């Protein structure tokens, strides 16, 4: 009859810390999920549970619904699309002895370590670094992760238990050297005037200032035309570009203008060119309500200070651009788009994270990914002496009583 008793399953992380150890996106920290699966009887106090097999995996679920922002389109447009993938490998934590259908168990603690892929090499999905958890407004796109425990109880019963795990990515931090090299770009529309920009760094977070060095220069071979040119204004804007279904047959793009600053100039273009600096602040999302209290977030999604950030997954891709437009007279307007990276953390938070990342890399250097040291599992079978003690009971005169030690 033991196979009729359903198991109560939970997953707990290491003491005083989260499931996630290391920093996804930074391979030196060996990002991984550590914890243990705890199985107990769910009905009655002490009826043993039949367990044949226990497996665990990290599962990524992704959905897109580009029409969700518009009430009319939500009903008439394309339906929600979704995809589910296993991240890395599924682990077998327990299998009962050969020849037995199931083992009668009082209590079971099964420690595990699930490594999160950290190599970009190979086109197979299970080798790619998983994208960060994210939910866009109106759920137009979302990515979330769950630890899924599969428990087989005899031949007839198989149950799956899902536990949300928020996952962040740390390879876009603005403190990394690769983002602090200046970027230069030049554009022209009719060869009379060229627009050149220089960007001192190109990764930013919420409330980070973005400064652009701008130069409008006449074409020296066309000076007779260039002398007639006047500069009306220069506009600097931040654009978010979301591509839905980027790897499919019919990708669709949506561009949102997040911030805009226009500088009126109203002067003739000097022969030596016109040089200026322009700045704009990347907008942040206020996590506090009207009473100044930070609301509790959803368990599957971290609380970000931005609405979205640079990310790429199977069903959608989010990119950001600085758009610089020079409005001219006697020459065509010139628009230049420069890609930038948006990180969920501001520059100060990125600085504060660097020491912890360094420490995590040191800790990871002693971990063998092929054979991680994990605690011994603890399995108490129903016929073990003092098996009831594992559930806090004992037998007194043939009756089960609470155990008082």
């Amino acid at each position: 009859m033991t196979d009729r008793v359903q198991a109560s399953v939970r997953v707990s992380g290491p003491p005083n810390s989260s499931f996630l150890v290391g920093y996804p996106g930074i391979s030196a920290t060996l990002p991984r999920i550590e914890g243990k699966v705890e199985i107990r009887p769910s009905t009655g106090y002490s009826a043993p549970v039949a367990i044949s097999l226990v497996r665990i995996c990290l599962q990524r679920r992704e959905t897109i619904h580009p029409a969700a922002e518009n009430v009319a389109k939500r009903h008439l447009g394309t339906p929600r699309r979704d995809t589910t993938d296993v991240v890395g490998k599924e682990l077998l934590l327990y299998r009962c002895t050969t020849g037995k259908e199931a083992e009668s168990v009082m209590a079971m603690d099964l420690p595990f370590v699930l490594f999160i892929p950290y190599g970009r090499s190979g086109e197979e999905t299970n080798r790619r670094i998983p994208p960060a958890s994210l939910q866009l407004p109106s759920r137009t796109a979302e990515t979330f992760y769950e630890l899924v425990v599969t428990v087989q109880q005899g031949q007839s019963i198989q149950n799956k238990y899902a536990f949300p795990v928020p996952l962040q990515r740390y390879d876009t931090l603005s403190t990394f050297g690769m983002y602090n090299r200046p970027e230069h770009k030049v554009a022209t529309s009719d060869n009379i005037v060229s627009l050149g920009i220089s960007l001192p760094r190109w990764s930013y977070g919420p409330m980070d200032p973005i400064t652009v060095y701008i130069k409008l220069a006449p074409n020296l071979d066309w000076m007779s035309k260039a002398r007639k040119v006047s500069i009306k204004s220069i506009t600097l804007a931040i654009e978010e570009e979301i591509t839905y279904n980027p790897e499919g047959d019919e990708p669709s793009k949506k561009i949102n203008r997040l911030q805009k600053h226009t500088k009126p100039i109203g002067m003739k273009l000097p022969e030596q060119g016109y040089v200026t600096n322009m700045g704009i602040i990347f907008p942040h999302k206020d996590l506090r309500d009207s009473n100044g209290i930070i609301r509790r977030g959803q368990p599957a999604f971290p609380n970000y200070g931005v609405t979205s950030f640079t990310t790429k997954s199977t069903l959608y891709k989010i990119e950001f651009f600085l758009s610089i437009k020079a409005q001219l007279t006697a020459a065509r307007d010139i628009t230049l788009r420069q890609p930038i990276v948006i990180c969920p953390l501001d520059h100060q938070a990125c600085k504060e994270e660097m020491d912890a990342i360094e420490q995590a890399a040191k800790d990871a250097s002693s971990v063998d990914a092929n054979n991680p040291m994990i605690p011994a599992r603890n399995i108490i079978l129903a016929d073990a002496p003092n098996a009831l003690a594992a559930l806090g009971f004992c037998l007194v005169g043939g009756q089960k009583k609470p155990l008082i030690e």
Side-chain angles (χ1 to χ4, degrees):
M1 290 293 286
T2 53
D3 59 341
R4 300 277 176 87
V5 176
Q6 197 175 331
S8 164
V9 178
R10 77 178 194 132
V11 176
S12 60
N16 302 318
S17 67
S18 68
F19 292 121
L20 196 58
V21 182
Y23 289 81
I26 301 173
S27 57
T29 64
L30 272 185
R32 57 204 182 274
I33 291 174
E34 293 184 4
K36 65 178 176 185
V37 174
E38 300 173 5
I39 297 177
R40 301 287 186 272
S42 69
T43 51
Y45 288 107
S46 53
V49 185
I51 303 288
S52 311
L53 190 84
V54 182
R55 293 195 304 265
I56 190 168
C57 69
L58 180 65
Q59 190 171 273
R60 178 177 99 214
R61 292 174 62 185
E62 231 173 63
T63 68
I64 56 166
H65 192 187
E69 281 180 322
N70 184 309
V71 176
K73 279 188 187 171
R74 193 183 304 162
H75 299 293
L76 303 171
T78 51
R80 187 173 287 278
R81 279 197 58 198
D82 55 58
T83 173
T84 304
D85 289 312
V86 171
V87 178
K89 294 175 182 169
E90 187 171 44
L91 291 183
L92 175 66
L93 299 183
Y94 174 80
R95 176 180 276 150
C96 68
T97 46
T98 316
K100 270 193 172 183
E101 188 188 327
E103 202 74 71
S104 256
V105 172
M106 276 296 187
M108 190 177 252
D109 294 332
L110 307 171
F112 66 89
V113 177
L114 276 171
F115 286 93
I116 294 169
Y118 49 82
R120 292 183 190 279
S121 58
E123 277 303 299
E124 323 93 85
T125 318
N126 64 349
R127 293 285 296 279
R128 292 186 208 157
I129 306 174
S133 306
L134 175 63
Q135 187 181 65
L136 293 186
S138 304
R139 292 184 64 213
T140 50
E142 63 183 6
T143 298
F144 65 98
Y145 293 85
E146 292 172 319
L147 280 173
V148 178
V149 179
T150 304
V151 179
Q152 180 86 38
Q153 294 187 250
Q155 286 184 339
S156 55
I157 302 175
Q158 187 187 69
N159 289 311
K160 287 181 187 282
Y161 305 84
F163 304 90
V165 177
L167 201 79
Q168 289 178 263
R169 278 276 288 270
Y170 293 89
D171 46 349
T172 57
L173 298 191
S174 56
T175 37
F176 288 140
M178 60 183 175
Y179 298 118
N180 291 319
R181 295 193 199 106
E183 286 279 305
H184 309 283
K185 202 168 192 179
V186 178
T188 181
S189 55
D190 51 14
N191 289 326
I192 299 171
V193 181
S194 65
L195 167 66
I197 65 145
S198 178
L199 207 56
R201 61 189 182 90
W202 46 288
S203 173
Y204 305 93
M207 297 300 283
D208 281 354
I210 302 172
T211 307
V212 192
Y213 170 86
I214 298 167
K215 182 174 184 182
L216 280 163
N219 182 345
L220 299 177
D221 300 334
W222 293 63
M223 276 312 288
S224 57
K225 288 188 175 182
R227 283 192 189 95
K228 297 173 187 170
V229 174
S230 292
I231 310 164
K232 281 202 248 174
S233 64
I234 299 175
T235 301
L236 174 63
I238 303 168
E239 292 177 350
E240 171 197 56
E241 185 174 292
I242 305 172
T243 310
Y244 295 102
N245 203 20
E247 296 173 11
D249 301 335
E250 296 176 12
S252 64
K253 277 190 181 173
K254 186 180 180 209
I255 296 175
N256 300 316
R257 186 166 272 197
L258 304 181
Q259 202 86 317
K260 187 177 93 165
H261 172 50
T262 301
K263 187 175 189 176
I265 292 159
M267 66 178 280
K268 283 268 186 202
L269 177 65
E271 285 192 23
Q272 70 274 19
Y274 174 81
V275 173
T276 186
N277 276 328
M278 282 183 77
I280 197 166
I281 302 282
F282 190 82
H284 80 299
K285 182 175 79 174
D286 197 357
L287 298 174
R288 297 177 184 275
D289 63 15
S290 54
N291 298 319
I293 295 164
I294 297 179
R295 285 194 205 93
R296 182 188 286 275
Q298 296 177 59
F301 302 102
N303 263 344
Y304 293 122
V306 286
T307 306
S308 69
F309 46 83
T310 304
T311 185
K312 182 174 190 266
S313 61
T314 315
L315 294 182
Y316 67 96
K317 174 172 76 168
I318 304 175
E319 298 166 292
F320 291 84
F321 296 88
L322 277 183
S323 167
I324 299 98
K325 182 180 181 180
Q327 273 199 301
L328 310 169
T329 56
R332 278 197 206 141
D333 294 349
I334 308 171
T335 302
L336 187 151
R337 277 182 109 215
Q338 172 65 32
I340 56 172
V341 169
I342 296 303
C343 169
L345 304 176
D346 63 33
H347 197 59
Q348 184 57 38
C350 290
K351 277 184 188 169
E352 289 165 8
E353 209 65 75
M354 294 308 278
D355 289 343
I357 290 173
E358 211 172 297
Q359 186 57 49
K362 282 179 191 164
D363 296 344
S365 62
S366 60
V367 175
D368 180 359
N370 297 315
N371 185 21
M373 296 288 288
I374 55 174
R377 59 191 194 174
N378 181 31
I379 300 170
I380 294 164
L381 300 178
D383 56 4
N386 287 333
L388 280 171
L391 301 173
F393 290 94
C394 61
L395 275 177
V396 179
Q399 286 191 315
K400 290 170 188 169
K401 302 278 187 185
L403 174 66
I404 301 166
E405 290 187 2

